[in-house]
Amino acid sequence: MITTEHDTDIEKIHQELLAVLEQDGRLEEYLRTIRVEDVAEVLELLDDPQPSRVLFALNSRAAAEVIVLLDERVRDQVVEEIPRDDLARMVDELPADDAADVFAVL
Protein backbone atom coordinates (compact mmCIF):
# COMPACT_ATOMS: atom_id res chain seq x y z
CA MET A 1 0.00 0.00 0.00
CA ILE A 2 1.28 3.43 -0.92
CA THR A 3 1.07 6.07 1.77
CA THR A 4 0.28 9.52 0.46
CA GLU A 5 0.96 12.89 2.04
CA HIS A 6 -2.80 13.20 2.63
CA ASP A 7 -2.81 9.90 4.56
CA THR A 8 0.08 11.13 6.66
CA ASP A 9 -1.70 14.43 7.37
CA ILE A 10 -4.91 12.65 8.39
CA GLU A 11 -2.98 10.31 10.70
CA LYS A 12 -1.24 13.33 12.26
CA ILE A 13 -4.58 15.09 12.78
CA HIS A 14 -6.01 11.86 14.22
CA GLN A 15 -3.19 11.56 16.75
CA GLU A 16 -3.41 15.25 17.68
CA LEU A 17 -7.18 15.02 18.10
CA LEU A 18 -6.86 11.98 20.35
CA ALA A 19 -4.43 13.93 22.52
CA VAL A 20 -6.71 16.98 22.62
CA LEU A 21 -9.71 14.81 23.57
CA GLU A 22 -7.79 13.87 26.72
CA GLN A 23 -7.43 17.53 27.71
CA ASP A 24 -10.12 19.85 29.01
CA GLY A 25 -11.01 23.01 27.17
CA ARG A 26 -8.85 22.70 24.04
CA LEU A 27 -11.15 20.80 21.70
CA GLU A 28 -13.07 23.75 20.26
CA GLU A 29 -9.86 25.73 19.80
CA TYR A 30 -8.13 22.82 18.06
CA LEU A 31 -11.07 22.12 15.75
CA ARG A 32 -11.02 25.70 14.47
CA THR A 33 -7.61 24.93 12.95
CA ILE A 34 -8.81 21.94 10.89
CA ARG A 35 -10.75 21.89 7.60
CA VAL A 36 -14.23 20.34 7.88
CA GLU A 37 -13.24 17.76 5.24
CA ASP A 38 -10.40 16.60 7.48
CA VAL A 39 -12.62 16.57 10.57
CA ALA A 40 -15.08 14.29 8.74
CA GLU A 41 -12.32 11.95 7.67
CA VAL A 42 -10.82 11.77 11.16
CA LEU A 43 -14.23 11.22 12.79
CA GLU A 44 -14.45 7.97 10.87
CA LEU A 45 -11.31 6.77 12.71
CA LEU A 46 -12.56 7.55 16.21
CA ASP A 47 -14.27 5.20 18.64
CA ASP A 48 -17.61 5.86 20.34
CA PRO A 49 -18.43 8.35 21.90
CA GLN A 50 -15.63 10.50 20.48
CA PRO A 51 -17.28 11.36 17.11
CA SER A 52 -20.31 12.86 18.83
CA ARG A 53 -18.12 14.74 21.28
CA VAL A 54 -16.19 16.28 18.38
CA LEU A 55 -19.38 17.21 16.50
CA PHE A 56 -20.84 18.93 19.56
CA ALA A 57 -17.63 20.97 19.89
CA LEU A 58 -18.00 22.37 16.36
CA ASN A 59 -20.13 25.38 15.55
CA SER A 60 -23.52 24.44 14.05
CA ARG A 61 -22.56 25.17 10.45
CA ALA A 62 -19.30 23.21 10.58
CA ALA A 63 -21.08 20.30 12.29
CA ALA A 64 -23.72 20.19 9.55
CA GLU A 65 -21.02 20.29 6.86
CA VAL A 66 -19.18 17.42 8.56
CA ILE A 67 -22.39 15.36 8.75
CA VAL A 68 -22.82 15.64 4.98
CA LEU A 69 -19.26 14.40 4.43
CA LEU A 70 -19.35 11.42 6.80
CA ASP A 71 -19.45 7.81 5.71
CA GLU A 72 -23.03 6.55 5.99
CA ARG A 73 -22.25 4.14 8.86
CA VAL A 74 -20.62 6.85 10.96
CA ARG A 75 -23.23 9.44 10.00
CA ASP A 76 -26.09 7.17 11.09
CA GLN A 77 -24.39 6.50 14.42
CA VAL A 78 -23.65 10.16 15.11
CA VAL A 79 -27.01 11.51 13.97
CA GLU A 80 -28.81 9.10 16.31
CA GLU A 81 -26.99 10.70 19.23
CA ILE A 82 -27.80 14.30 18.28
CA PRO A 83 -30.98 15.70 19.81
CA ARG A 84 -33.38 16.74 17.03
CA ASP A 85 -33.37 20.38 18.20
CA ASP A 86 -29.59 20.51 17.88
CA LEU A 87 -29.69 18.84 14.47
CA ALA A 88 -32.32 21.33 13.29
CA ARG A 89 -30.15 24.22 14.52
CA MET A 90 -27.15 22.82 12.64
CA VAL A 91 -29.09 22.47 9.41
CA ASP A 92 -30.68 25.91 9.85
CA GLU A 93 -27.18 27.42 9.64
CA LEU A 94 -26.66 26.12 6.11
CA PRO A 95 -27.72 27.63 2.79
CA ALA A 96 -30.86 25.97 1.43
CA ASP A 97 -29.04 23.75 -1.07
CA ASP A 98 -26.62 22.49 1.60
CA ALA A 99 -29.52 21.93 4.03
CA ALA A 100 -31.22 19.85 1.34
CA ASP A 101 -28.01 17.79 1.10
CA VAL A 102 -28.12 17.10 4.86
CA PHE A 103 -31.75 15.99 4.68
CA ALA A 104 -30.96 13.86 1.62
CA VAL A 105 -28.38 11.86 3.55
CA LEU A 106 -30.53 11.39 6.68
Side-chain angles (χ1 to χ4, degrees):
M1 183 171 119
I2 298 173
T3 302
T4 65
E5 186 176 326
H6 175 74
D7 294 336
T8 303
D9 290 345
I10 292 301
E11 183 55 33
K12 179 182 179 218
I13 293 168
H14 179 226
Q15 293 303 315
E16 290 173 349
L17 184 55
L18 288 174
V20 169
L21 283 166
E22 296 296 319
Q23 302 171 13
D24 288 331
R26 290 206 47 235
L27 184 57
E28 291 175 6
E29 175 186 338
Y30 178 73
L31 290 172
R32 284 192 295 270
T33 69
I34 304 172
R35 298 174 332 125
V36 292
E37 295 85 359
D38 293 337
V39 172
E41 197 165 339
V42 170
L43 278 185
E44 295 177 5
L45 302 174
L46 298 174
D47 296 324
D48 249 0
Q50 294 168 327
S52 296
R53 185 171 168 209
V54 170
L55 260 185
F56 282 117
L58 292 168
N59 67 52
S60 294
R61 181 183 179 97
E65 291 174 9
V66 167
I67 289 170
V68 171
L69 297 170
L70 288 173
D71 173 77
E72 185 177 344
R73 176 189 57 81
V74 176
R75 182 178 46 241
D76 290 347
Q77 168 194 342
V78 169
V79 167
E80 279 184 24
E81 297 174 15
I82 300 174
R84 294 298 168 224
D85 290 346
D86 291 338
L87 186 58
R89 188 174 56 252
M90 290 174 189
V91 172
D92 193 44
E93 295 280 332
L94 295 173
D97 58 330
D98 291 338
D101 291 342
V102 172
F103 286 119
V105 299
L106 297 180

